[in-house]
Amino acid sequence: MKWLYLAAAATVIIGMIIGLIIGRSREKRLSQKQLEVRRNSFRYAFSALIVFEALLMVLHYFDIVIPFYWLTFGPIFVAGFAAMIYELIHRAYWPENTRIRGKGWGWTFIIIGILVGIPTVLKLAESVFNFTLFLDMILAIFLILDGIGALQMKK
């Protein structure tokens, strides 16, 4: 089981490195308004991370058992989710002149996110929760949000 956490952590680190490399080229295509929205979204993401960490500390104080993956990946998930939602609301998730063409990509992301999310929700209804379901939940949410961002870009 420890290897699964190590593999997931390595994947997150590699994804962050690739995201930083891609983000630098994407940032050049953002307008000034989008850059300002991005700065604000990172502030809100950091605030969400701090609030989530405080919530985890309060839960730990009352001796509530918190799964290890919520302690390790939960803050990253909450911060990313807060930033994505803020950027989607203010239409700054994708650059204005991005290379993705057509609405097909947005719908593809949304459909794949729903297909990943349905089994996850059904297993959660059975009160079964493990690390794989946690990663599936994160993947489903981010795919759906990416699809919404791609559809917003075309309007």
Side-chain angles (χ1 to χ4, degrees):
M1 188 62 143
K2 291 181 182 179
W3 289 104
L4 185 62
Y5 291 116
L6 184 61
T11 305
V12 168
I13 291 170
I14 290 170
M16 291 173 83
I17 291 170
I18 291 171
L20 287 173
I21 293 169
I22 293 172
R24 290 185 190 259
S25 67
R26 258 177 86 184
E27 196 169 288
K28 295 174 186 170
R29 295 182 286 164
L30 293 170
S31 68
Q32 283 301 109
K33 179 185 174 238
Q34 286 179 320
L35 288 172
E36 184 63 33
V37 169
R38 284 280 174 102
R39 280 191 281 278
N40 289 338
S41 74
F42 290 132
R43 287 185 197 131
Y44 288 125
F46 185 73
S47 300
L49 182 125
I50 297 298
V51 169
F52 187 75
E53 287 290 342
L55 174 69
L56 289 177
M57 285 194 278
V58 168
L59 292 175
H60 180 70
Y61 177 77
F62 289 110
D63 293 328
I64 296 173
V65 177
I66 304 165
F68 182 71
Y69 43 84
W70 276 110
L71 295 173
T72 53
F73 293 107
I76 296 170
F77 167 70
V78 169
F81 188 70
M84 287 179 82
I85 292 295
Y86 186 80
E87 290 172 10
L88 284 174
I89 290 171
H90 295 282
R91 293 182 173 268
Y93 186 72
W94 292 95
E96 291 177 349
N97 56 352
T98 189
R99 294 182 187 134
I100 295 177
R101 301 285 181 241
K103 293 184 179 182
W105 282 108
W107 288 112
T108 303
F109 289 153
I110 291 172
I111 289 170
I112 292 172
I114 290 171
L115 290 176
V116 169
I118 288 173
T120 305
V121 170
L122 292 176
K123 288 182 183 175
L124 288 175
E126 298 172 4
S127 66
V128 175
F129 197 76
N130 56 26
F131 183 67
T132 307
L133 285 178
F134 178 74
L135 290 178
D136 287 346
M137 180 180 63
I138 292 172
L139 179 65
I141 290 171
F142 285 154
L143 280 171
I144 291 170
L145 291 176
D146 277 344
I148 292 170
L151 289 177
Q152 278 184 347
M153 177 183 60
K154 295 300 169 190
K155 291 182 180 179

